[in-house]
Amino acid sequence: MYKDANELVAAVRKAVETTVVTDVHTHLFPPSHGDMLLWGADEILTYHYLVAELFTVAPRDLTYEKFWAMPKSAQADLVWEHLFLNRGALSEAARGAITTFNRLGLDVAGRDLTGIRKWFAEQNIEEYLPKVFTMANIDYAVMTNDVFSAAQTELWRQGLAVPECLKTALRIDPLFADGWEKAAGVMVEAGYAVKAEPDEKTCDEVRRYLLDWSARIKPVYFAASIGPEFAYGDDSAFTRLIDRAVMPAAAEAGVPLALMIGVRRDVNPGLRDAGVGVGVSDVMALARMLQKHTDAKLLVTMLSRVNQHELTVLARNFGNLHIFGCWWYCNNPSIISEMTRQRLEMLGTAFTCQHSDARVLDQLIYKWNHARKLVADVLVDKYGDLFEAGWRPTEEEINRDVRAIFGGSFEEFLNR
Ligand code: HDL
Ligand code: ZN
């Protein structure tokens, strides 16, 4: 038992530092999928977060067309020059690149980009991937597997090697909004009787398509990112597809549906992935889904800081809703701290505090290094309050609770 609060603080920090993390959402791919898996200095420096930041300061004559026509290394040089050398690398994404290079033992203090590139060129991805997972102390990461992408489905049909530390998620964005035409074309091409409008028969075929792919890649969950205009319970195509195709298929596959809500795609198309904006969504639409699908399990994260408090309250209202991560524009220290505090204060440990959303393998190193420090600071306060109130948690209990918010509660939710 802890004699004083200082011993407790040390135990909390040690627990966060050493707990194994489950990364519930990333954009990683198996090394066998070749260039799909991004890694190395130039990919780190051209992460779309940094590309967006580059264009906030780049000379006006650097057009999007010129930039995208450059080789990746030239793009990375521009990012390095404008965001690291000409200005303080104070943004979260810029600091992240520095944390990654530094923790890999590279001479980032000396700003030796040439030497850093040389080191990466000497790495073998089959050995490097497990090294990164060990450094970040991650048991497994869930990928994003778009079953409407010809390039991705072609690779899955080849049955290539997938390391144990990578699990699949069946990503279905194209089913919704302006993606439907492409999705319908892909399903027709694959032999499913899908019509231009998702009527009942078409929804049944969509359900069959999802179940066939689910049997093939065995996803941890189905997933979709949707816009802030998200509405449910009307007679829209979205509601019909959710009710007659997606939810029944997820139920039959025995997996949750993950909804990532609030993306405004194509706010600035010239920036591609970097040109996506954020919008405030209607949390009551989610409540209507939960009221209707009482047996379903929903994993949800929302993109707008404005939605976080309402979403946390909804997670108290519905035990079949599990909220996760500080997504994208919320993945910043100032917001992560606020979100983690309000989630602990309203949900105890029944949530998942973070996911990396890593698009580049090496990012796992910084995303989890930064997250652990932030969450440890919050937990020190919370356990300190508990100690003050007269409770004496044991070391095992602290380790149990820390693991819970770094993946344990997620796995309990999957298995419940
Ligand atoms: O839709 C998503 O899964 C988002 O995470 C986008 O991929 C986004 O580009 C991203 O990487 N955010 O971190
Ligand atoms: Zn993502």
Side-chain angles (χ1 to χ4, degrees):
M1 209 49 79
Y2 306 104
K3 280 195 297 300
D4 59 29
N6 292 333
E7 277 193 20
L8 177 66
V9 166
V12 171
R13 292 200 181 280
K14 181 164 161 266
V16 176
E17 191 47 43
T18 57
T19 200
V20 174
V21 156
T22 299
D23 197 340
V24 303
H25 170 59
T26 73
H27 296 270
L28 303 178
F29 289 95
S32 61
H33 288 208
D35 294 347
M36 287 277 188
L37 173 62
L38 305 180
W39 63 285
D42 290 342
E43 292 298 350
I44 291 169
L45 291 173
T46 55
Y47 184 33
H48 69 71
Y49 292 29
L50 291 171
V51 171
E53 291 167 34
L54 168 67
F55 278 94
T56 62
V57 295
R60 298 287 293 167
D61 63 354
L62 177 67
T63 62
Y64 301 143
E65 295 67 32
K66 273 187 205 163
F67 179 77
W68 295 120
M70 290 176 173
K72 189 74 85 166
S73 58
Q75 295 174 4
D77 286 340
L78 281 174
V79 169
W80 182 251
E81 177 196 350
H82 288 284
L83 300 184
F84 291 79
L85 303 183
N86 294 357
R87 281 165 195 79
L90 293 163
S91 76
E92 183 60 6
R95 178 170 73 103
I98 293 167
T99 300
T100 299
F101 293 148
N102 193 42
R103 293 184 68 81
L104 283 167
L106 305 177
D107 184 15
V108 70
R111 307 180 184 190
D112 177 15
L113 184 55
T114 306
I116 289 171
R117 280 171 163 149
K118 186 168 168 297
W119 182 85
F120 278 105
E122 292 157 1
Q123 302 315 303
N124 166 310
I125 186 60
E126 297 290 345
E127 289 145 25
Y128 181 57
L129 181 135
K131 174 180 172 166
V132 170
F133 271 73
T134 304
M135 281 182 72
N137 198 5
I138 299 170
D139 54 6
Y140 65 88
V142 183
M143 301 182 279
T144 295
N145 308 107
D146 178 351
V147 291
F148 294 98
S149 149
Q152 294 190 36
T153 50
E154 177 42 41
L155 285 163
W156 284 104
R157 285 197 178 90
Q158 293 172 38
L160 302 167
V162 180
E164 267 311 297
C165 65
L166 289 173
K167 309 291 181 198
T168 58
L170 197 133
R171 187 68 180 252
I172 59 174
D173 291 26
L175 274 185
F176 305 127
D178 50 7
W180 169 255
E181 211 172 304
K182 170 193 171 189
V186 165
M187 290 184 278
V188 166
E189 182 76 20
Y192 295 77
V194 166
K195 291 206 260 343
E197 263 304 301
D199 58 15
E200 284 200 12
K201 176 106 185 59
T202 289
C203 286
D204 294 345
E205 283 292 87
V206 173
R207 186 168 74 238
R208 191 165 69 88
Y209 183 82
L210 298 180
L211 283 170
D212 290 350
W213 270 102
S214 184
R216 195 175 278 130
I217 68 171
K218 300 202 178 16
V220 173
Y221 53 73
F222 289 7
S225 80
I226 48 182
E229 68 289 344
F230 160 57
Y232 172 81
D234 47 17
D235 64 351
S236 65
F238 176 82
T239 300
R240 268 178 278 146
L241 282 162
I242 286 284
D243 285 351
R244 273 200 69 95
V246 176
M247 298 309 264
E252 198 170 324
V255 297
L257 170 65
L259 289 176
M260 307 168 69
I261 308 171
V263 276
R264 284 198 192 287
R265 302 257 177 228
D266 295 343
V267 163
N268 183 354
L271 276 176
R272 299 182 183 173
D273 280 334
V276 177
V278 56
V280 181
S281 310
D282 173 14
V283 176
M284 278 315 293
L286 183 58
R288 283 191 292 278
M289 274 182 81
L290 289 156
Q291 289 160 351
K292 170 90 186 267
H293 295 280
T294 49
D295 295 338
K297 288 196 280 193
L298 287 183
L299 295 163
V300 174
T301 194
M302 295 184 86
L303 192 53
S304 169
R305 176 179 174 233
V306 172
N307 282 131
Q308 300 308 327
H309 183 257
E310 224 181 320
L311 176 63
T312 306
V313 172
L314 196 68
R316 286 167 61 93
N317 305 144
F318 290 93
N320 57 330
L321 167 61
H322 182 86
I323 60 180
F324 71 93
C326 303
W327 182 29
W328 201 343
Y329 298 121
C330 288
N331 193 0
N332 297 312
S334 54
I335 299 177
I336 293 166
S337 185
E338 175 187 81
M339 284 173 68
T340 306
R341 286 176 192 281
Q342 74 178 354
R343 288 166 167 182
L344 283 165
E345 289 156 3
M346 286 199 267
L347 300 170
T349 59
F351 69 100
T352 298
C353 67
Q354 187 56 297
H355 69 275
S356 71
D357 229 311
R359 281 178 167 270
V360 183
L361 170 66
D362 332 71
Q363 291 174 337
L364 294 178
I365 297 169
Y366 93 78
K367 297 239 186 189
W368 288 109
N369 175 267
H370 292 187
R372 287 177 193 268
K373 283 205 179 79
L374 283 158
V375 173
D377 290 346
V378 172
L379 286 172
V380 161
D381 285 353
K382 291 301 168 193
Y383 277 108
D385 295 345
L386 207 50
F387 189 91
E388 184 110 356
W391 193 254
R392 297 294 179 266
T394 65
E395 187 161 348
E396 290 69 33
E397 288 167 340
I398 291 173
N399 286 314
R400 170 202 63 193
D401 297 346
V402 169
R403 170 61 197 156
I405 63 173
F406 279 98
S409 293
F410 170 74
E411 292 196 326
E412 266 177 35
F413 184 74
L414 293 180
N415 300 321
R416 210 169 57 199

